[in-house]
């Protein structure tokens, strides 16, 4: 029995090693490719660079406007993250802890939206944004992504809040606390592990969001990092400066990699948060 278990563990280790390699290898290849010259890259894409050409990074930063793009991305992601996470926590609290008529109907409608492709709302959404004069505006993009609730995040946080004991709320109500006071002073601190997990997933989704900024932003000075890198990729049709593009991609990957490195425990726990505690 122990021999079968050791063989099974060995197979899982090999699968995990192969899975890790498929993720890490492209990142490593892009990084050392960004340190080559174009001549070295076209001679042999697998060969290591003879000297480290860090000038490719300054070139990518200046030519592709990554500085302005990172500032735009910081504003867009930061504002959307704070407002959107707060609204998700508020919605989850109301739908799981507050009794009111029509709550089950609202939940059913939310569950139904899981089966509807989000692309169907793209045209009416754009018309609404245009009529409200919110196109080509980072603030308009923040409003759109903050108010637009993600059903997965709502279900994740709602499952966590449902597991919290009701006695804490009932004691606060008996002491005369209002609904707002209970939410701010009790539910938010108790739900912080779930909120942090949702915030991490929201950050990754917002930072890697390409379609929204690509559709609603037309001013190059307002481009987020994803759109800026897309425009840089288009330039490769006329100038094959792939090492500079790789340097830009490496810069663009830094925030996501840092988030994963420092918050990987939260990400792993958050993958099963709602299922375990819901």
């Amino acid at each position: 029995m122990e021999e079968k278990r050791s063989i099974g563990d060995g197979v899982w280790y090999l699968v995990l090693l192969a899975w890790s390699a498929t993720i890490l290898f492209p990142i490593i290849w892009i990084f050392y490719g960004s340190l080559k010259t174009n001549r070295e890259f076209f001679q042999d894409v697998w060969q290591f660079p003879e000297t480290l050409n860090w000038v490719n990074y300054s070139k990518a930063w200046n030519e592709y406007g990554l500085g302005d793009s990172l500032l735009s991305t910081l504003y867009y992601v930061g504002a959307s993250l704070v407002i959107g996470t707060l609204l998700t926590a508020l919605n989850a609290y109301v739908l799981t802890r507050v009794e009111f008529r029509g709550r089950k109907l609202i939940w059913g409608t939310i569950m139904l939206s899981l089966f509807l492709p989000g692309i169907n709302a793209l045209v009416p959404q754009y018309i609404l944004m245009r009529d409200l004069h919110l196109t080509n505006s980072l603030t308009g993009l923040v409003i759109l992504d903050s108010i637009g609730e993600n059903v997965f995040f709502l279900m994740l946080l709602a499952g966590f809040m449902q597991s919290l004991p009701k006695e804490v709320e009932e004691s606060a109500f008996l002491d005369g606390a209002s609904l707002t006071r209970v939410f701010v002073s009790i539910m938010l601190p108790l739900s912080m592990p779930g909120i942090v997990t949702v915030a991490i997933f929201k950050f990754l989704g917002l930072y890697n969001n390409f379609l929204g900024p690509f559709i609603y932003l037309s001013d190059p000075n307002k481009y987020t990092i994803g759109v800026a890198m897309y425009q840089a990729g288009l330039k490769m049709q006329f100038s094959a400066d792939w090492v500079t593009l790789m340097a830009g991609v490496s810069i663009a990957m830094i925030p996501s990699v840092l988030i994963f490195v420092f918050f990987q425990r939260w990400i792993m726990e958050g993958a099963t948060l709602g299922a375990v505690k819901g």
Side-chain angles (χ1 to χ4, degrees):
M1 187 69 180
E2 292 181 357
E3 183 179 354
K4 291 182 179 180
R5 183 179 301 175
S6 62
I7 294 175
D9 292 342
V11 172
W12 279 112
Y13 288 144
L14 289 176
V15 172
L16 181 61
L17 181 62
W19 178 75
S20 301
T22 59
I23 295 177
L24 293 176
F25 176 75
I27 297 176
I28 296 173
W29 183 76
I30 289 175
F31 175 70
Y32 81 73
S34 68
L35 298 175
K36 296 182 177 182
T37 63
N38 272 305
R39 179 183 58 81
E40 292 174 334
F41 178 79
F42 284 107
Q43 282 181 348
D44 187 354
V45 296
W46 305 111
Q47 184 181 359
F48 285 93
E50 296 178 2
T51 57
L52 302 182
N53 293 277
W54 296 103
V55 68
N56 293 334
Y57 283 83
S58 62
K59 187 178 178 182
W61 184 271
N62 296 322
E63 288 190 5
Y64 300 155
L66 294 185
D68 293 336
S69 298
L70 283 175
L71 288 177
S72 298
T73 304
L74 180 64
Y75 169 69
Y76 160 64
V77 173
S80 301
L81 183 63
V82 172
I83 300 173
T85 304
L86 180 60
L87 290 177
T88 298
L90 181 60
N91 292 334
Y93 172 68
V94 171
L95 290 172
T96 56
R97 314 291 291 198
V98 180
E99 297 288 342
F100 61 93
R101 183 176 298 178
R103 187 178 68 166
K104 292 184 178 180
L105 177 62
I106 295 175
W107 260 121
T109 305
I110 292 174
M111 295 300 105
L112 179 63
S113 66
L114 286 172
F115 300 92
L116 301 176
I119 197 70
N120 291 343
L122 187 60
V123 173
Q125 193 177 76
Y126 181 84
I127 294 174
L128 179 63
M129 291 282 287
R130 183 196 62 189
D131 292 344
L132 293 176
H133 304 288
L134 293 176
T135 57
N136 196 29
S137 169
L138 286 170
T139 302
L141 203 59
V142 168
I143 294 173
L144 176 64
D145 285 321
S146 299
I147 297 178
E149 185 62 86
N150 187 296
V151 179
F152 171 75
F153 298 143
L154 181 61
M155 293 175 58
L156 190 69
L157 194 52
F160 183 86
M161 287 187 174
Q162 279 182 330
S163 67
L164 299 177
K166 292 185 177 181
E167 291 76 12
V168 180
E169 286 177 281
E170 294 172 354
S171 300
F173 286 134
L174 289 175
D175 291 338
S178 64
L179 191 64
T180 304
R181 181 64 181 274
V182 171
F183 172 71
V184 174
S185 302
I186 297 177
M187 294 305 298
L188 281 183
L190 291 177
S191 303
M192 196 54 63
I195 292 174
V196 171
T197 301
V198 168
I200 293 172
F201 281 114
K202 276 183 175 287
F203 169 84
L204 295 175
L206 289 168
Y207 186 81
N208 294 304
N209 183 22
F210 170 77
L211 186 60
F214 180 71
I215 291 175
Y216 294 106
L217 299 178
S218 57
D219 186 355
N221 295 324
K222 298 179 182 179
Y223 284 166
T224 58
I225 193 70
V227 181
M229 292 311 305
Y230 171 77
Q231 297 295 334
L234 293 180
K235 294 180 180 179
M236 295 302 103
Q237 300 177 12
F238 310 101
S239 60
D241 191 7
W242 292 103
V243 293
T244 303
L245 182 64
M246 286 182 173
V249 172
S250 299
I251 295 173
M253 287 192 301
I254 291 175
S256 296
V257 172
L258 290 178
I259 287 293
F260 178 77
V261 169
F262 290 107
F263 295 98
Q264 57 181 319
R265 181 175 65 87
W266 295 93
I267 296 174
M268 298 303 178
E269 292 179 356
T272 56
L273 185 63
V276 173
K277 298 189 176 183

